[in-house]
Amino acid sequence: MSADIRLIVGLGNPGSEYEQTRHNAGFWFIDEFARHFSTPLASESKYFGITGRMPAPYPDTRLLKPMTFMNKSGQSVAPLANFFKVPPEQVLVVHDELDLPPGVARFKQGGGHGGHNGLKDIIRCFGNNNNFHRLRIGIGHPGHSDRVTGHVLGKPPQSERDAIERIIDESVRAVDLALAKGWVEAKQYLHSVR
C-alpha cells in the first residue's frame, strides 16, 4: 500500500548566506525532488514559504520550503497543513541530522526533536503532536556540543557535499517508492544504500 503523504517539507534557512550550509539539507532535497518530478515551486506569502503541487499521479501532495528561518518552521508548516486538512501523520519533514554521517539517510516516524529547532517548532505548532514522518539527511557531528552551531551553519567540504548530494538523490528515489509502493519498500531501499 502506498504511503499517504500529502505534504513534504524541507527545512532550511532563507537567504544566500545560508544557501550552502549543512542546515539547508532539507531545502536541497526539495529542490532536487521538485526537479525530478518537474514540479514548479513558487513563493506563497500566506504559507510563509515556497510551495509546489506535484503532478499526476500525486496531485494531492504538496512541497514546502518554509521561509521563516529554522526556529519558526512550524509557522509555515501548520498554516498549509491546516488549510489543506493534512494531519501530521500525512506530513514528511526532511531535515539535516547530526547523528548520521554524510552519505547516510534514514526514515523515521514520531519521536522527539533531538535539539533540532525546526522539528521543535513544528511539533509545537502541531499542538505537541510529533507523529509526522521524518527523512533524516546525515551531516555528521563535529564531535563536541560547543561546535554544533558552527557546524550546521557551516559549508561542508566538497567531499561531504558530494556524499550529501548522492544520498539526496537516493532519498528522492526512496520517497518516490514510498508514494508508489509504501514505507516498507522505501525503507528497505534507502536503509540499504551504502
Side-chain angles (χ1 to χ4, degrees), residues 5-20:
I5 293 297
R6 293 174 50 214
L7 175 58
I8 302 172
V9 180
L11 298 186
N13 283 307
S16 56
E17 67 269 41
Y18 297 106
E19 212 170 296
Q20 305 301 322

Side-chain angles (χ1 to χ4, degrees), residues 5-10 30 33 39 41 44 47 50-55 58-65 80-81 83-86 90-92 179:
I5 293 297
R6 293 174 50 214
L7 175 58
I8 302 172
V9 180
I30 292 291
F33 196 78
T39 303
L41 297 173
E44 279 270 15
Y47 306 125
I50 292 172
T51 70
R53 184 177 180 185
M54 289 181 62
Y58 311 121
D60 290 333
T61 301
R62 286 178 162 75
L63 308 180
L64 173 65
K65 290 165 60 176
L80 194 150
F83 184 82
F84 292 106
K85 297 181 171 54
V86 181
Q90 293 181 336
V91 176
L92 172 65
L179 291 169

Side-chain angles (χ1 to χ4, degrees), residues 138-158:
I139 61 165
H141 197 286
H144 196 279
S145 58
D146 289 351
R147 297 204 290 270
V148 164
T149 301
H151 181 73
V152 299
L153 294 178
K155 183 179 175 184
Q158 194 58 50

Side-chain angles (χ1 to χ4, degrees), residues 25 28 102-103 137-139 156 160-168:
W28 301 345
I137 307 283
I139 61 165
E160 284 184 20
R161 178 69 191 247
D162 290 346
I164 293 168
E165 286 182 355
R166 272 197 309 276
I167 200 62
I168 283 174

